[in-house]
Amino acid sequence: MPHLLQDLLILILPAYALLDNQGITILNYWPVTVGLVAGLIMGDMHTAMVIAGTFQLMSLGVAGLGGASVPDYGLATIVGIYLAARTGAGIGTAVAVGLPVGLLAIQFDVVIKLANNFIAHKAQEYAHKKEFNKMRMINWLGPLFFTMKDFIPMVIIITVGPSAVSAVLNVIPKWVTNGLTIAGGMLPVVGIGMLMHYMPTKKYIWAILAGFVFAAYLKLPVFGVAILGLAAAIIIFQQGMAKANKKNAAVAEGVDDSEEGDDYDE
Amino acid sequence: MPHLLQDLLILILPAYALLDNQGITILNYWPVTVGLVAGLIMGDMHTAMVIAGTFQLMSLGVAGLGGASVPDYGLATIVGIYLAARTGAGIGTAVAVGLPVGLLAIQFDVVIKLANNFIAHKAQEYAHKKEFNKMRMINWLGPLFFTMKDFIPMVIIITVGPSAVSAVLNVIPKWVTNGLTIAGGMLPVVGIGMLMHYMPTKKYIWAILAGFVFAAYLKLPVFGVAILGLAAAIIIFQQGMAKANKKNAAVAEGVDDSEEGDDYDE
Amino acid sequence: MPHLLQDLLILILPAYALLDNQGITILNYWPVTVGLVAGLIMGDMHTAMVIAGTFQLMSLGVAGLGGASVPDYGLATIVGIYLAARTGAGIGTAVAVGLPVGLLAIQFDVVIKLANNFIAHKAQEYAHKKEFNKMRMINWLGPLFFTMKDFIPMVIIITVGPSAVSAVLNVIPKWVTNGLTIAGGMLPVVGIGMLMHYMPTKKYIWAILAGFVFAAYLKLPVFGVAILGLAAAIIIFQQGMAKANKKNAAVAEGVDDSEEGDDYDE
Amino acid sequence: MSKEKKQTPVNTPGVLTRKERHSAILRYMTMGVNNFNYETQQGPSVVWAFSKVLRKIYPKDDEYVEALDNHFKYFNTTTAMANIILGATLAMEEKDGIKSKDAVQSLKTSLMGPFAGIGDTIIWVLFPTIMGSIAGYMAVQGNPTGAIAWILFDMLLFWARIKLFDLGYNSGVKLITSLGERLSIFTEATSVMGLTVVGTLIATVVKVYTPLTFMTGKVKLAIQSGILDKIMPALLPALVAYMVYTLLGKKSWTPTKVILLIVVISLVGAFTGLLGVQPQ
Amino acid sequence: MSKEKKQTPVNTPGVLTRKERHSAILRYMTMGVNNFNYETQQGPSVVWAFSKVLRKIYPKDDEYVEALDNHFKYFNTTTAMANIILGATLAMEEKDGIKSKDAVQSLKTSLMGPFAGIGDTIIWVLFPTIMGSIAGYMAVQGNPTGAIAWILFDMLLFWARIKLFDLGYNSGVKLITSLGERLSIFTEATSVMGLTVVGTLIATVVKVYTPLTFMTGKVKLAIQSGILDKIMPALLPALVAYMVYTLLGKKSWTPTKVILLIVVISLVGAFTGLLGVQPQ
Amino acid sequence: MSKEKKQTPVNTPGVLTRKERHSAILRYMTMGVNNFNYETQQGPSVVWAFSKVLRKIYPKDDEYVEALDNHFKYFNTTTAMANIILGATLAMEEKDGIKSKDAVQSLKTSLMGPFAGIGDTIIWVLFPTIMGSIAGYMAVQGNPTGAIAWILFDMLLFWARIKLFDLGYNSGVKLITSLGERLSIFTEATSVMGLTVVGTLIATVVKVYTPLTFMTGKVKLAIQSGILDKIMPALLPALVAYMVYTLLGKKSWTPTKVILLIVVISLVGAFTGLLGVQPQ
Ligand SMILES: OC[C@H]1O[C@H](O)[C@@H](O)[C@@H](O)[C@@H]1O
Ligand SMILES: OC[C@H]1O[C@H](O)[C@@H](O)[C@@H](O)[C@@H]1O
Ligand SMILES: OC[C@H]1O[C@H](O)[C@@H](O)[C@@H](O)[C@@H]1O
């Protein structure tokens, strides 16, 4: 395969795998699967798999749950494999260069999810203006941004070489990367806050309190809390049904006490 | 004491002690108490107590709760004491031969409890046919089966000798004994399932869920769960009473809203 | 400073600091703060602070919560500093003599809190007789007793010397001091028992049961329990309001079902 | 306490004499779990023990059969504690006859769980551990004193268990007298407590364990601890309990069939290695 | 905030001036637990502190005595946190007079537990641990700076505690204004929270421990950890609490008698070795 | 199962064909979290995916916009599990149109938490840990078999996710048919379960950590573990959640402003060292 084609394919690979993993999840974005493809492209499957396997075992248990940002081991793998194939760098070097690129991606991830916020607002604006096509189209910016997240470092690495990465890393002060990581840990609270405004939070604040105590103090996992929540929900349902039946019965008997029920719901 | 009388008494001992322990529990079936009697029978109290004490300390904490099957250390003790007295085997040998017999008994225990099922059905059948005497009599099969459980290995040991035990053990494939042990662990679920059908399970399913979470996740012991259950029961009782009082009051006032209450109870 | 003035001031210091700590808490009664003042009085700040610091680090985490009695490290500190200044005793000796005095104070603390009980009854008696001034005045006995607790050992130490302390300690049998310590651990139950009689304990006994299980079995700290209690309180409040609203609505409609509500409250 | 008082512990004159009642509980104490089966567990034992006194309470055949059927149902608890429950239910049946049927069943089903929890701990775990460690240590030195003491304690316990029955009987009468028509509310409430304990039993008494592992090179993953326990502790017991409960609700499935199914599954599981005995 | 606003924090013109109110809380802050007793604990302290302002609120002798009796009852919480509660109850009494009696009692009894939990942690555990480790370390090197800083912080805290009282006072007025007739429902609900904490207090504050052991040869069994704790943690405290609660409900038993009983039991327990001090 | 049966899984003739429905869920599966934002998270993804089928259900512009607005709201769960929920809500909207709006929202908000708990564990933690350890070990030996197997499993999963959608769709219809007017009670009850999980999320998902320490000589006290955690675990996350919830309730504060505020606080916190990344 000519170098140019290899470069092109390797450039596209992480961007595609990222979108795949965040969507259909068929190739996914774990080191071994993207490493497999990178090995096919670069023509040295053995080296590719060794580098990928190293990153894979490094990343066991890493999961970006609830919108959290995690190191981009897929990108790290591809960078490592590319460098090994092009510069003949040993596996140690390949891993050492790939890793900081993967870590850098955490910052980008936070920035993109912040930027996506504006897309979401724009889309809703279009909806209100009844420009439904635009509403749909603007959403493509999200995937585009995510593409850029992996595309840009790959372009730099392919054109300027690995030394560029450390140069970029040195420019950004530590407190900025740290600050973005902290923000990434805190920001899921916004979604939770929104959610609480859509739900009958004030009426059932006791459910939040109980869930919090069981999780924070007693370390009950979320699924265990959910079962307790289900137990409470069943009681609420039964009581609601009993009240409704009673109201119906009362109506049937000609006594209209509909107000009372409403009062309770306030 | 003539050998024949000793043999006879030692044959009866485990069978009686088992029934005693599962019923009136006066002699009970722990190594030291049956060992005491075995020592009296065999005429060598010192050796008997040493063997019994060894098995006793081995069995500390072993308890067949909820219908679970556990090693039969009482039988093991008697076998050991008998062999020591008859063959002059050392204490080590006596323990080594007694133990597998005690372990084998787990399997028998499972089989008997399965067999007893048929007795129970038969007895209820007789009750329906109003043959009350038969209903009572057939229940003696249970104790009889349990007697056999200890009687049969004892007969073999006394007549054929200890080598017979290992022969029998070698005939039964490992997966059968294992399978019966697994079944013994799982079978209490049938009783629980029956129980759930007698109780208002659907209405108060939340109580099961809560009890499960506290026990499975938070390792709250059954007594702690029972206290929480008591707390819930008190609330249910108070609410039930309030509703009943209200209904009575309403009836007294001439307003018949009896339906509503019934609806709730469904 | 003349010795007599020093003696006088050092005599007053622990008594004042104790009352301060149990009331306005400005000087407080921790080793370093009373040690600071003792150092000023005795004129050797360095030695004073070293002794105080030693006791301070010894007392970390010691807290007399819920009316519990704890070692009197403040008194121990002052005794140590005084002896070091007067007898030139080394820091080790000062600490060794101060500590038992501080421990002895636990017993006195229990006795005073028992004695205060009679003051409380007397005061209430005066209130019923409408002798309000006496009611107020008698309460001064409490602080007076507490003053004595530290005053008496200090007087002995200053007049008779440290050997007196061990003499006194040897006179009291171990089981008496032990017994008072045990009583100190148990006596807060009286307050709790009183409290339960003022609260709707029978109606809400389930809340006590639940609080107990969470604290005793699951080791949930009091604040966590309080949050769960708050959750339950919110539910009770909502249900109470719903019932009240319903009753009002019913009254408005001319149906008087006031009895039912009352029934429930019993 | 005078002799007379002991003989008439309740105001309402009972159908049964004190001797008849004691003979019934002694029968139960003798049979105990000696005819234990996996389906109804101690049910037949209770029937066998109380068949005579119940006959006296229910002279009519139909009512008698109904009452027997009630007791044939699942019952299981520490036998010592069962005495309290059976004392109470006997009092209820003696006073209200077949009308008490549901209340009797409800009291039994709701109390047996919590009672087993406390009873088993004391009777089957703590007491034998204490006596066993003392008597066992004496025995290995050839000293039978501990064993003899144990038997004496057992006799004391035997006496205490009869007292527990009397306690239950007297409380039972008090209970129904004071609760009156509220008994159904009371039994419903106790059911809630019982069901809470049922949830615990599923998580602790039922044991289902798979020894399966994924293994490749140096990487080994135990299905039980690595996957199932992480989804939910006691996941398999919960699933089995749900399955059994559902099957038992079907017309086509009798408890016997369910038991056979479990035995077959266990044997197949042991043969294939899908199921195993949980290592302690 | 202007001076004027500070002086009239509520719309309803109060009976008491700001100065009178502050003098009352300063009295409480001075007495604190200096007349603490095991029965009513800080009750007499509150009475002593508020006797003057209450006199002004209740000019009628009978009402005054009734109000005093109310405050003579058991009260105990971190003194700093008590300021909030006492601010609120003063506002309630000022506005509604003797009618507020039950609500006042209820608010006190239900809030004191939770407030003690958070207050003790911060005021008596965390703050002295931080200051003590810093100042203690400086002190052993002969440096009094930490000790001086501690006193300065205490002054700050003193000021903050007065603010907490004001906060309670203002909230208290708001509370009764907004809740109106619903106050009784509110206080009942807070009681539930209070009782939950009472359950915790029994398990944690009350200490009853037996050092008894069964011992024979090399086998040793501690009654406390080997038996009692296995039946139920905090079993003895729970039993003692139940016993004390029952005794206090009897006409023949006064709190004083109960206290004496406990002292006697403790002494006898210590003498015989049945009771002991729990090793940390 | 016959082809025909598959195509008409419900009795009520739907507005949408099976193909249209599947095209909608495929759109969602493609977008997934590719346009994830911190405010409404997967909300826009759902809108983008379902805009076409919703257009068909709501021919009137106003209703369409209303329905879209409903879906623009916060939504987040494991994408595989979302398929069940979105299947159910699509069925509801198809049947009841805009009347189902509140029920749809309620179902989404209450189920997404519990579903994320179980879904994330299986899809993002357990599955990749198993496959990753196997395939990773093979890979370091130069063997790509594990990687290939992983991709094949992913394909299987892809198919299963579509089945989950169908399951949700069919259940959804059953749900509304059987619940009828009780749907509002049902959704209120599920909200309770959802809110319980919200309490858990605050304690576990939101991360706020301060690396501050008091230090003097050899004494060192970490503010986080020594003070904050002792007052209450997850104290800072709880305070931040309360603050954010309050701000979001104010007219003057949009979510965007809140997000910016958090970013600024994080940067300032990182700069000053007040905030940090919690060490694992
Ligand atoms: O936690 C639920 C969900 O949150 C976000 O949407 C992403 O992190 C997903 O990967 C995750 O499944
Ligand atoms: O667990 C209750 C009860 O279950 C079965 O009946 C037996 O194992 C008894 O020994 C036990 O007490
Ligand atoms: O526990 C609340 C409270 O109890 C008693 O009053 C004293 O021990 C105080 O120091 C403590 O704050």
Side-chain angles (χ1 to χ4, degrees), chain C residues 63-68 113, chain E residues 33 36 41-42 75-80 112 116-117 119-120 124 205:
Chain C
L65 309 180
K113 288 169 179 172
Chain E
V33 291
F36 185 95
Q41 311 211 342
Q42 296 181 15
F75 182 68
N76 193 37
T77 191
T78 320
T79 47
M112 63 193 194
D120 282 357
W124 293 129
V205 167

PDB file of all heavy atoms in Angstrom, chain C residues 63-68 113, chain E residues 33 36 41-42 75-80 112 116-117 119-120 124 205, ligand 3:
ATOM      1  N   ALA C  63     -14.038  13.539  73.494  1.00  0.00           N
ATOM      2  CA  ALA C  63     -15.138  14.500  73.538  1.00  0.00           C
ATOM      3  C   ALA C  63     -16.257  13.958  74.410  1.00  0.00           C
ATOM      4  O   ALA C  63     -16.650  12.804  74.286  1.00  0.00           O
ATOM      5  CB  ALA C  63     -15.660  14.760  72.129  1.00  0.00           C
ATOM      6  N   GLY C  64     -16.736  14.786  75.297  1.00  0.00           N
ATOM      7  CA  GLY C  64     -17.803  14.360  76.216  1.00  0.00           C
ATOM      8  C   GLY C  64     -19.172  14.618  75.612  1.00  0.00           C
ATOM      9  O   GLY C  64     -19.830  15.576  75.964  1.00  0.00           O
ATOM     10  N   LEU C  65     -19.599  13.752  74.741  1.00  0.00           N
ATOM     11  CA  LEU C  65     -20.860  13.975  74.029  1.00  0.00           C
ATOM     12  C   LEU C  65     -22.043  13.369  74.767  1.00  0.00           C
ATOM     13  O   LEU C  65     -21.903  12.362  75.461  1.00  0.00           O
ATOM     14  CB  LEU C  65     -20.766  13.359  72.645  1.00  0.00           C
ATOM     15  CG  LEU C  65     -19.533  13.769  71.842  1.00  0.00           C
ATOM     16  CD1 LEU C  65     -19.552  13.100  70.495  1.00  0.00           C
ATOM     17  CD2 LEU C  65     -19.465  15.271  71.713  1.00  0.00           C
ATOM     18  N   GLY C  66     -23.190  13.985  74.594  1.00  0.00           N
ATOM     19  CA  GLY C  66     -24.409  13.438  75.166  1.00  0.00           C
ATOM     20  C   GLY C  66     -24.350  13.285  76.668  1.00  0.00           C
ATOM     21  O   GLY C  66     -25.002  12.430  77.249  1.00  0.00           O
ATOM     22  N   GLY C  67     -23.546  14.133  77.340  1.00  0.00           N
ATOM     23  CA  GLY C  67     -23.473  14.067  78.796  1.00  0.00           C
ATOM     24  C   GLY C  67     -22.505  13.013  79.311  1.00  0.00           C
ATOM     25  O   GLY C  67     -22.489  12.712  80.495  1.00  0.00           O
ATOM     26  N   ALA C  68     -21.673  12.458  78.406  1.00  0.00           N
ATOM     27  CA  ALA C  68     -20.694  11.462  78.848  1.00  0.00           C
ATOM     28  C   ALA C  68     -19.560  12.151  79.608  1.00  0.00           C
ATOM     29  O   ALA C  68     -19.312  13.334  79.429  1.00  0.00           O
ATOM     30  CB  ALA C  68     -20.134  10.723  77.639  1.00  0.00           C
ATOM     31  N   LYS C 113     -23.189  15.351  88.324  1.00  0.00           N
ATOM     32  CA  LYS C 113     -24.368  15.299  87.464  1.00  0.00           C
ATOM     33  C   LYS C 113     -25.523  14.568  88.151  1.00  0.00           C
ATOM     34  O   LYS C 113     -26.696  14.809  87.854  1.00  0.00           O
ATOM     35  CB  LYS C 113     -24.018  14.651  86.125  1.00  0.00           C
ATOM     36  CG  LYS C 113     -23.170  15.567  85.251  1.00  0.00           C
ATOM     37  CD  LYS C 113     -22.602  14.844  84.039  1.00  0.00           C
ATOM     38  CE  LYS C 113     -21.784  15.802  83.179  1.00  0.00           C
ATOM     39  NZ  LYS C 113     -21.064  15.093  82.104  1.00  0.00           N
TER      40      LYS C 113
ATOM     41  N   VAL E  33     -23.911  23.749  79.999  1.00  0.00           N
ATOM     42  CA  VAL E  33     -24.132  22.499  80.717  1.00  0.00           C
ATOM     43  C   VAL E  33     -23.557  22.568  82.129  1.00  0.00           C
ATOM     44  O   VAL E  33     -23.244  21.551  82.729  1.00  0.00           O
ATOM     45  CB  VAL E  33     -23.536  21.293  79.952  1.00  0.00           C
ATOM     46  CG1 VAL E  33     -24.338  21.035  78.693  1.00  0.00           C
ATOM     47  CG2 VAL E  33     -22.077  21.517  79.627  1.00  0.00           C
ATOM     48  N   PHE E  36     -25.810  20.658  84.365  1.00  0.00           N
ATOM     49  CA  PHE E  36     -26.259  19.439  83.682  1.00  0.00           C
ATOM     50  C   PHE E  36     -26.620  18.340  84.679  1.00  0.00           C
ATOM     51  O   PHE E  36     -25.872  18.052  85.601  1.00  0.00           O
ATOM     52  CB  PHE E  36     -25.123  18.948  82.785  1.00  0.00           C
ATOM     53  CG  PHE E  36     -25.477  17.775  81.926  1.00  0.00           C
ATOM     54  CD1 PHE E  36     -25.911  17.962  80.623  1.00  0.00           C
ATOM     55  CD2 PHE E  36     -25.369  16.465  82.394  1.00  0.00           C
ATOM     56  CE1 PHE E  36     -26.220  16.884  79.804  1.00  0.00           C
ATOM     57  CE2 PHE E  36     -25.691  15.390  81.592  1.00  0.00           C
ATOM     58  CZ  PHE E  36     -26.109  15.606  80.297  1.00  0.00           C
ATOM     59  N   GLN E  41     -31.133  16.927  81.882  1.00  0.00           N
ATOM     60  CA  GLN E  41     -29.933  17.393  81.190  1.00  0.00           C
ATOM     61  C   GLN E  41     -29.872  18.933  81.101  1.00  0.00           C
ATOM     62  O   GLN E  41     -29.627  19.576  82.119  1.00  0.00           O
ATOM     63  CB  GLN E  41     -29.816  16.670  79.852  1.00  0.00           C
ATOM     64  CG  GLN E  41     -29.988  15.132  80.104  1.00  0.00           C
ATOM     65  CD  GLN E  41     -29.257  14.210  79.192  1.00  0.00           C
ATOM     66  OE1 GLN E  41     -28.824  14.554  78.138  1.00  0.00           O
ATOM     67  NE2 GLN E  41     -29.092  12.964  79.629  1.00  0.00           N
ATOM     68  N   GLN E  42     -30.093  19.534  79.943  1.00  0.00           N
ATOM     69  CA  GLN E  42     -29.973  20.991  79.879  1.00  0.00           C
ATOM     70  C   GLN E  42     -31.272  21.718  80.225  1.00  0.00           C
ATOM     71  O   GLN E  42     -31.341  22.959  80.118  1.00  0.00           O
ATOM     72  CB  GLN E  42     -29.490  21.436  78.498  1.00  0.00           C
ATOM     73  CG  GLN E  42     -28.091  20.940  78.153  1.00  0.00           C
ATOM     74  CD  GLN E  42     -27.653  21.429  76.781  1.00  0.00           C
ATOM     75  OE1 GLN E  42     -28.238  22.341  76.202  1.00  0.00           O
ATOM     76  NE2 GLN E  42     -26.610  20.812  76.252  1.00  0.00           N
ATOM     77  N   PHE E  75     -33.987  18.414  77.814  1.00  0.00           N
ATOM     78  CA  PHE E  75     -33.485  19.088  76.618  1.00  0.00           C
ATOM     79  C   PHE E  75     -31.990  18.870  76.564  1.00  0.00           C
ATOM     80  O   PHE E  75     -31.291  19.006  77.572  1.00  0.00           O
ATOM     81  CB  PHE E  75     -33.806  20.588  76.669  1.00  0.00           C
ATOM     82  CG  PHE E  75     -33.352  21.342  75.450  1.00  0.00           C
ATOM     83  CD1 PHE E  75     -33.952  21.119  74.214  1.00  0.00           C
ATOM     84  CD2 PHE E  75     -32.319  22.267  75.523  1.00  0.00           C
ATOM     85  CE1 PHE E  75     -33.530  21.808  73.082  1.00  0.00           C
ATOM     86  CE2 PHE E  75     -31.891  22.953  74.396  1.00  0.00           C
ATOM     87  CZ  PHE E  75     -32.503  22.727  73.179  1.00  0.00           C
ATOM     88  N   ASN E  76     -31.487  18.512  75.411  1.00  0.00           N
ATOM     89  CA  ASN E  76     -30.043  18.324  75.277  1.00  0.00           C
ATOM     90  C   ASN E  76     -29.633  18.337  73.820  1.00  0.00           C
ATOM     91  O   ASN E  76     -30.180  17.610  72.992  1.00  0.00           O
ATOM     92  CB  ASN E  76     -29.594  16.989  75.891  1.00  0.00           C
ATOM     93  CG  ASN E  76     -28.085  16.938  76.042  1.00  0.00           C
ATOM     94  OD1 ASN E  76     -27.457  17.941  76.347  1.00  0.00           O
ATOM     95  ND2 ASN E  76     -27.496  15.769  75.827  1.00  0.00           N
ATOM     96  N   THR E  77     -28.685  19.196  73.517  1.00  0.00           N
ATOM     97  CA  THR E  77     -28.114  19.230  72.174  1.00  0.00           C
ATOM     98  C   THR E  77     -26.809  20.011  72.279  1.00  0.00           C
ATOM     99  O   THR E  77     -26.470  20.517  73.354  1.00  0.00           O
ATOM    100  CB  THR E  77     -29.088  19.875  71.169  1.00  0.00           C
ATOM    101  OG1 THR E  77     -28.596  19.658  69.856  1.00  0.00           O
ATOM    102  CG2 THR E  77     -29.255  21.364  71.397  1.00  0.00           C
ATOM    103  N   THR E  78     -26.048  20.068  71.197  1.00  0.00           N
ATOM    104  CA  THR E  78     -24.854  20.904  71.227  1.00  0.00           C
ATOM    105  C   THR E  78     -25.282  22.327  71.552  1.00  0.00           C
ATOM    106  O   THR E  78     -26.204  22.849  70.917  1.00  0.00           O
ATOM    107  CB  THR E  78     -24.177  20.896  69.843  1.00  0.00           C
ATOM    108  OG1 THR E  78     -24.228  19.581  69.313  1.00  0.00           O
ATOM    109  CG2 THR E  78     -22.753  21.360  69.944  1.00  0.00           C
ATOM    110  N   THR E  79     -24.641  22.965  72.538  1.00  0.00           N
ATOM    111  CA  THR E  79     -25.138  24.278  72.966  1.00  0.00           C
ATOM    112  C   THR E  79     -25.159  25.291  71.811  1.00  0.00           C
ATOM    113  O   THR E  79     -26.057  26.118  71.728  1.00  0.00           O
ATOM    114  CB  THR E  79     -24.299  24.812  74.138  1.00  0.00           C
ATOM    115  OG1 THR E  79     -22.912  24.642  73.831  1.00  0.00           O
ATOM    116  CG2 THR E  79     -24.600  24.062  75.413  1.00  0.00           C
ATOM    117  N   ALA E  80     -24.185  25.205  70.927  1.00  0.00           N
ATOM    118  CA  ALA E  80     -24.169  26.145  69.807  1.00  0.00           C
ATOM    119  C   ALA E  80     -25.417  25.969  68.942  1.00  0.00           C
ATOM    120  O   ALA E  80     -26.019  26.943  68.478  1.00  0.00           O
ATOM    121  CB  ALA E  80     -22.911  25.936  68.966  1.00  0.00           C
ATOM    122  N   MET E 112     -33.540  18.478  68.561  1.00  0.00           N
ATOM    123  CA  MET E 112     -32.299  18.407  69.343  1.00  0.00           C
ATOM    124  C   MET E 112     -31.411  17.221  68.959  1.00  0.00           C
ATOM    125  O   MET E 112     -30.198  17.335  68.951  1.00  0.00           O
ATOM    126  CB  MET E 112     -32.587  18.415  70.847  1.00  0.00           C
ATOM    127  CG  MET E 112     -33.369  17.255  71.343  1.00  0.00           C
ATOM    128  SD  MET E 112     -33.918  17.643  73.035  1.00  0.00           S
ATOM    129  CE  MET E 112     -34.434  16.022  73.538  1.00  0.00           C
ATOM    130  N   ALA E 116     -27.734  17.746  67.473  1.00  0.00           N
ATOM    131  CA  ALA E 116     -26.592  17.287  68.261  1.00  0.00           C
ATOM    132  C   ALA E 116     -25.648  16.482  67.378  1.00  0.00           C
ATOM    133  O   ALA E 116     -24.428  16.580  67.490  1.00  0.00           O
ATOM    134  CB  ALA E 116     -27.054  16.447  69.448  1.00  0.00           C
ATOM    135  N   GLY E 117     -26.213  15.700  66.481  1.00  0.00           N
ATOM    136  CA  GLY E 117     -25.381  14.880  65.606  1.00  0.00           C
ATOM    137  C   GLY E 117     -24.419  15.723  64.796  1.00  0.00           C
ATOM    138  O   GLY E 117     -23.199  15.515  64.817  1.00  0.00           O
ATOM    139  N   GLY E 119     -23.870  19.062  65.177  1.00  0.00           N
ATOM    140  CA  GLY E 119     -23.180  20.049  66.016  1.00  0.00           C
ATOM    141  C   GLY E 119     -22.011  19.446  66.781  1.00  0.00           C
ATOM    142  O   GLY E 119     -20.902  19.996  66.758  1.00  0.00           O
ATOM    143  N   ASP E 120     -22.228  18.315  67.433  1.00  0.00           N
ATOM    144  CA  ASP E 120     -21.142  17.688  68.190  1.00  0.00           C
ATOM    145  C   ASP E 120     -19.969  17.338  67.288  1.00  0.00           C
ATOM    146  O   ASP E 120     -18.808  17.506  67.655  1.00  0.00           O
ATOM    147  CB  ASP E 120     -21.644  16.415  68.889  1.00  0.00           C
ATOM    148  CG  ASP E 120     -22.435  16.732  70.144  1.00  0.00           C
ATOM    149  OD1 ASP E 120     -22.537  17.929  70.505  1.00  0.00           O
ATOM    150  OD2 ASP E 120     -22.947  15.802  70.791  1.00  0.00           O
ATOM    151  N   TRP E 124     -17.343  19.703  68.750  1.00  0.00           N
ATOM    152  CA  TRP E 124     -16.596  18.959  69.783  1.00  0.00           C
ATOM    153  C   TRP E 124     -15.622  17.939  69.221  1.00  0.00           C
ATOM    154  O   TRP E 124     -14.783  17.431  69.954  1.00  0.00           O
ATOM    155  CB  TRP E 124     -17.550  18.249  70.746  1.00  0.00           C
ATOM    156  CG  TRP E 124     -18.364  19.150  71.609  1.00  0.00           C
ATOM    157  CD1 TRP E 124     -19.713  19.122  71.784  1.00  0.00           C
ATOM    158  CD2 TRP E 124     -17.896  20.228  72.437  1.00  0.00           C
ATOM    159  NE1 TRP E 124     -20.112  20.108  72.646  1.00  0.00           N
ATOM    160  CE2 TRP E 124     -19.017  20.807  73.064  1.00  0.00           C
ATOM    161  CE3 TRP E 124     -16.632  20.784  72.705  1.00  0.00           C
ATOM    162  CZ2 TRP E 124     -18.930  21.892  73.935  1.00  0.00           C
ATOM    163  CZ3 TRP E 124     -16.541  21.854  73.569  1.00  0.00           C
ATOM    164  CH2 TRP E 124     -17.674  22.406  74.175  1.00  0.00           C
ATOM    165  N   VAL E 205     -25.137   6.069  72.061  1.00  0.00           N
ATOM    166  CA  VAL E 205     -24.761   6.858  73.241  1.00  0.00           C
ATOM    167  C   VAL E 205     -24.796   6.013  74.514  1.00  0.00           C
ATOM    168  O   VAL E 205     -23.915   6.127  75.365  1.00  0.00           O
ATOM    169  CB  VAL E 205     -25.665   8.107  73.384  1.00  0.00           C
ATOM    170  CG1 VAL E 205     -25.497   8.731  74.755  1.00  0.00           C
ATOM    171  CG2 VAL E 205     -25.342   9.105  72.297  1.00  0.00           C
TER     172      VAL E 205
HETATM  173  O1  LIG G   3     -24.508  15.567  72.736  1.00  0.00           O
HETATM  174  C1  LIG G   3     -25.128  16.812  72.967  1.00  0.00           C
HETATM  175  C2  LIG G   3     -24.561  17.506  74.170  1.00  0.00           C
HETATM  176  O2  LIG G   3     -24.732  16.677  75.286  1.00  0.00           O
HETATM  177  C3  LIG G   3     -24.371  17.275  76.513  1.00  0.00           C
HETATM  178  O3  LIG G   3     -25.147  18.373  76.741  1.00  0.00           O
HETATM  179  C4  LIG G   3     -22.923  17.703  76.501  1.00  0.00           C
HETATM  180  O4  LIG G   3     -22.140  16.559  76.483  1.00  0.00           O
HETATM  181  C5  LIG G   3     -22.634  18.553  75.304  1.00  0.00           C
HETATM  182  O5  LIG G   3     -21.262  18.798  75.188  1.00  0.00           O
HETATM  183  C6  LIG G   3     -23.115  17.872  74.045  1.00  0.00           C
HETATM  184  O6  LIG G   3     -22.953  18.733  72.952  1.00  0.00           O
END
